[in-house]
Each structure stands twice: as structure tokens, then as C-alpha cells.
Amino acid sequence: MADDRPGEFELIRRYFAPLAQDPGSLGLTDDAAVLTPSDGCDLVLTKDVLAANVHFFVDDAPEAIAAKALRVNLSDLAAKGARPRGYLLGLALPADWTVAWLERFCRGLSADQCVYDIQLLGGDTIRSGNGLQVSVTAIGEVDKGKAVRRSGAGAGDLVFVTGTIGDAAAGLQARLDPDFCRAHDLTEEEETRILDRYLLPRPRTGIASCLVAHASAAMDISDGLFADAAHLASASGMDVTLDLAAVPISGALQHLKVKAPDVFGLCLNGGDDYEILAAVPSGQAEAFVRDTADCGTKVTQIGTVAEGDGRVRLVDAAQAFGLEPDGGFRHF
Amino acid sequence: MADDRPGEFELIRRYFAPLAQDPGSLGLTDDAAVLTPSDGCDLVLTKDVLAANVHFFVDDAPEAIAAKALRVNLSDLAAKGARPRGYLLGLALPADWTVAWLERFCRGLSADQCVYDIQLLGGDTIRSGNGLQVSVTAIGEVDKGKAVRRSGAGAGDLVFVTGTIGDAAAGLQARLDPDFCRAHDLTEEEETRILDRYLLPRPRTGIASCLVAHASAAMDISDGLFADAAHLASASGMDVTLDLAAVPISGALQHLKVKAPDVFGLCLNGGDDYEILAAVPSGQAEAFVRDTADCGTKVTQIGTVAEGDGRVRLVDAAQAFGLEPDGGFRHF
């Protein structure tokens, strides 16, 4: 069979160069990108690799795969308080890739570049022979010394979370089991919502500056609420107490909580939320809530920080949902 | 079968954190790395993805796979005149990865970190279910505005190349065909040399400052001498004329040139050299040769730059080796 798909250089010229309008990308015609850092800024660098059948389904819309690969990285930048500056893309295409698929993938990148004001700076395309893999390195900037780390939480801080928790994990269950929503009496609207939350993370780039201004520690929630709270607690050398009853949940999760408490418990700690978990000194809490609201993001206090040895404690209702207090989530 | 291999967090703690001594890595315990750029510097960013059975053999020594993944990126930095600053590592491990393999892979990284004075800043490890893939994003620094691009070659410049050309491509042939060296009467020493040149690139980091000081354009040779010369010619909008008789070759290639001119021709443009191709204004040439020699690197003039439309022309002996003048290498 004749292979009339474009080679690497034609791929770059036709599909990737139009995504690379930042002068630092050198139009993707050079060995590397050259970036002039803004005066007085630190660079924040993050890299996530996504693989077919691990992080997404091969039959997901190509636009959505592109968006997810970019957004999980932008979520890391946001959690550090950084403004996105650009990204490099490593794309390992399976043997049976098609031009139509790649066009849609690049349309997904292009749309998100507009949404998040970010440009492609460079990268590499290979034909792997294996399944699709997408590797993104995202570069952000933050005022020098102001990056928000996981390790800064202090005794007396309040713990906040953005948005709602558990929808993406429920969406994954719905994706894996076509009967999931019917079995648990979820409405069509709820089904649509949770499927979408799994497919398309919404990185909280809008509140990056609020985190820099007010948070003592922050991270995004990708591994699961309790697991990630344990990471923050461990990095800060503080105990974090979470009030499960306070964790903000959507109507769909509220529904699950009533109909299937065990499933609810799993989803609440299922990960892929890409919401921000932040510790905020109590004196800053009011301003944090106000400033994030001004940015259109609702935050909810779900816990507190106290002296301790880096553990997470759960209060209220934990046992009812089959949740372990913290044992399973201390990886270090 | 019980799987007693460590999980992601234990992997990071045990194997990768010891490679991350730069404070910017935050000990690999955070969402992202935070890098303070040196005053007055631009950042140079490059990303290459290497896949098993495409860019290396699965039974290559793990140390060599690690070194190759790092070095092909350091070669790009060197070609831009940049000093390596750090790197991010994306590692997709196949289902059957072993602790022993990973320990050796990390020893390879560790050794090269010493050689090239570079630290691991962050990254991501996934289990892909597919073959091994290694994605490296390398970050370098160069004085602001001084990065050496492909596009700066001017009429009258001389074209130089470092080291010798064609060994790695011959080494690949020897790797693919156990009879290759015997068939072409290569000595054991020559066989060892070409196999090693394929396995382990030697990025020319030592002459980065010489390129900044003297070169008008530069790139590393990875796709093949003529193909890459065509990239430089095209980016600069100049014609490049290469004198084949002047291209520096090792004893092994000299041997092939006599015994098997067709094979020699293929190897000469086979790529994976990771030598530097540089255009140098004629007034700077003497200083360029002297300064690179002071850095322990031999450079050889192999051509010239003239007004033109971005083509490569070959003089001397081209037809004898079955080489096309330039038609096949104009990708743009």
C-alpha cells in the first residue's frame, strides 16, 4: 500500500509550524527554541506523559486528547502560581496514524492555545510502532521567589479546594461501564457532566495570581484528594485534617453519595480532578475567597493544618464511605 | 505473580531523587521544577523522544540508552552555543520492566550528569504497556541574543564540521548485519569504533562558546550531512557547496570508501553523527579553528556559502559514491 502521509518535515511545516507563532520557537526550523525570560521571573517547568489506554481512550476525540495532554501540564503551572509561557510537544504516533486524526489533534492544540494564551515552542514527532503517546513539557513564569510550593503549609492554615471533587473519577467509571449511570439513577445531564469532566480537565490558570498572593502551599489534585493532601502534608511536615462533609461535590456526586456510598467514596478519591488544593494562612483566607471569586472561581474550605508528622486525618463520615483514614495514601 | 516492583512514588524517591540535586528540582516532591534563569541569559529548550527499535535496540545496555537520550538533546544545546542547565525526563516503561534495568538506566544518567555538569529537574514516569520510550527536555542557557541559529549563514562564510562523519551510520549497519565488518574487511578496532559511535553520541558541548564567538549559523548533524546542510542552507536562504573530498572520515570509513563506495556513500549521509555543522565568516575562520583546537576539538572546512536559493551543491566524487547532488534532501 502506498503511504502518502507526509514525512516529519512536512508534518512540521503543515501542522505544527502554524501553532508556533512565538518568535522563540524560531518557526520550528531550528534545533531548539530560544526563550528570553521576563525580567525578575523564575521559570516553572513541568512534564507529563500521556499514553493511549492508560491516560485516555484511543477512540477519544483527537481534539480532546490534545487538550488533555496540554491541560494536565497547565494545571501544574497554575498550582505553582505560574503564568503559562509556552510548551514543547513530543508526539509518538502509532503505525496507523492518519492525516485526518492529526489535523483534528492540531485543531485541539490550536483551540487551547487561544484559551490559555500559550504557543508551541518546539518538540519532536516520532513514529513509535506502539500506541499513541503524548509528552508535553510546559513552561511558565512567576515572579522570582514567588512560586507556590507544596511544602509551605503552616500550623493554623486553612485548607481550600477549588470547584467540585470526584466528577472525573465518576466519569471514568461511566466510560468504562455503559450501565454505570443507569445503575445509579444518574440523570442524562449528570452523565454528560461527569463524562466531560473526565475527558477535559479545566486547569485553574485563572487563580494563579491569587495563589501567589495568598497561599502558603498548593498543588493540583490528580492522584486523588486524600493522596494529594497527603503529599502536601508530607512535603510541609504538617498534619492536614480534612472534613469530608465539607468537600464540595456536584449534583451527580450528591446522587451517588445517596444511592451508592461505596462508589461515591471511590470517586471522591479517584483523582483526575485537576482542581487546586491550597493551604492559606487564616489571616489571608477572606481575601483568598474574595479574590478567587473575582476571578470566577469558587473555593471551599475543607480542612485545617496543624503541627504533626505529615499525615492526613479525615473527620466525619469517612467510615460510612469505606474510606481509610490515611494509611493507604502515605507513599513516602 | 506478585509484583514487588516499586510504585511511582517509591521509584522517584529511590532512583530519581538522587539525580535531582539542583535546588530547582524541589527534590522531585512538587508538581513542577522552579528555575531561576541566570542574569542576562536566554534559555534554550529542546526535546527529543527516543523509542525502542526506532532509536535504539531494546537489548542495548540500559546505561547507553539513558546516555543516548540525554546526549542527543545536549547536542542540540551545544549547536546553539548553550551551556546545559538541566533536563526533564519522561520515561514510559514497558510492562516487563525490571528493577535491575532501571538501576542501570539511572546509573547511565548519573554518569552523564557528572560528565556534562547537568541535573535532573523533573519529569514523569508511566507504565505504557508498549515498548520503552524515553523523552528528554533539555534546558540550556546562552548570553541574551547570542544563541547560534541555523539561519545566520552569509555569503562568503566557510562551512566547518567537527570530528569525523559517517561512523555512526556504519555502526548501525554493523549492528544490523553481523557480517558487515567481515564483508568489508574492517579490522576489529574499526568495528569497535563504529559500533561505539552509533551507541554513544559525543555531543560537542565543549565548543559551545566557540560557536557563540565565531559562527554565523550552526546545527548538529543528526539526519545526515547533506540533509542537514540543506536545512542550514534553506534556513539561511543561501547555497551551501560541500566538497566531498574534504569531509573528514575515520580509518573505518576510509576503508569502506575503498572497498565499498556505495556503502560509504550511504554512511556519509546516514546521520546520527551528532557532530556540529557550522558556517563561519572567513575573517573568523582562523580564530574558530584555533579556539576549538584549544577546547580539544578538531574542525575541518568542508564547504562554502554563497548567494543562492537555499540549495546544497556537492563537488568532487559525488557520482562515484552514488550520491545525488541535492535533490533528495530538500524537504521544504
Side-chain angles (χ1 to χ4, degrees), chain A residues 8-10 12-13 23 26 28-39 41-52 54-55 75-77 79-80 88-92 121-133 135-137 139 142 144-145 147-151 218-221 223 228 231 235 331-332, chain B residues 8-10 12-13 23 26 28-39 41-52 54-55 75-77 79-80 88-92 121-133 135-137 139 142 144-145 147-151 218-221 223 228 231 235 331-332:
Chain A
E8 182 177 6
F9 297 107
E10 182 62 16
I12 293 171
R13 195 189 63 76
L26 309 181
L28 306 185
T29 61
D30 215 300
D31 304 74
V34 180
L35 202 67
T36 303
S38 304
D39 284 341
C41 279
D42 283 340
L43 284 155
V44 179
L45 299 159
T46 183
K47 182 187 184 81
D48 275 319
V49 185
L50 277 67
V54 180
H55 303 90
S75 179
D76 284 325
L77 295 187
K80 305 297 98 186
L88 295 100
L89 174 71
L91 189 60
L121 291 172
D124 192 17
T125 304
I126 67 167
R127 304 192 190 186
S128 77
N130 294 312
L132 176 69
Q133 285 191 20
S135 158
V136 169
T137 302
I139 301 115
V142 62
K144 199 167 280 190
V148 183
R149 305 184 179 187
R150 293 183 181 180
S151 55
M219 64 183 299
D220 74 341
I221 301 172
D223 292 338
D228 284 324
H231 294 150
H331 298 279
F332 293 92
Chain B
E8 182 178 6
F9 298 107
E10 183 61 16
I12 294 170
R13 195 189 63 76
L26 309 181
L28 305 184
T29 61
D30 214 300
D31 304 73
V34 180
L35 203 66
T36 302
S38 304
D39 283 342
C41 279
D42 283 341
L43 284 156
V44 179
L45 298 159
T46 183
K47 181 186 184 84
D48 275 320
V49 185
L50 277 66
V54 181
H55 304 88
S75 179
D76 285 325
L77 295 187
K80 303 298 100 186
L88 296 99
L89 173 72
L91 189 60
L121 291 172
D124 192 17
T125 304
I126 67 166
R127 304 191 192 185
S128 77
N130 295 313
L132 176 69
Q133 285 192 19
S135 159
V136 168
T137 303
I139 300 115
V142 62
K144 197 167 282 188
V148 184
R149 304 183 179 186
R150 293 183 182 180
S151 55
M219 63 183 302
D220 74 341
I221 301 172
D223 291 339
D228 285 325
H231 294 150
H331 298 281
F332 294 92

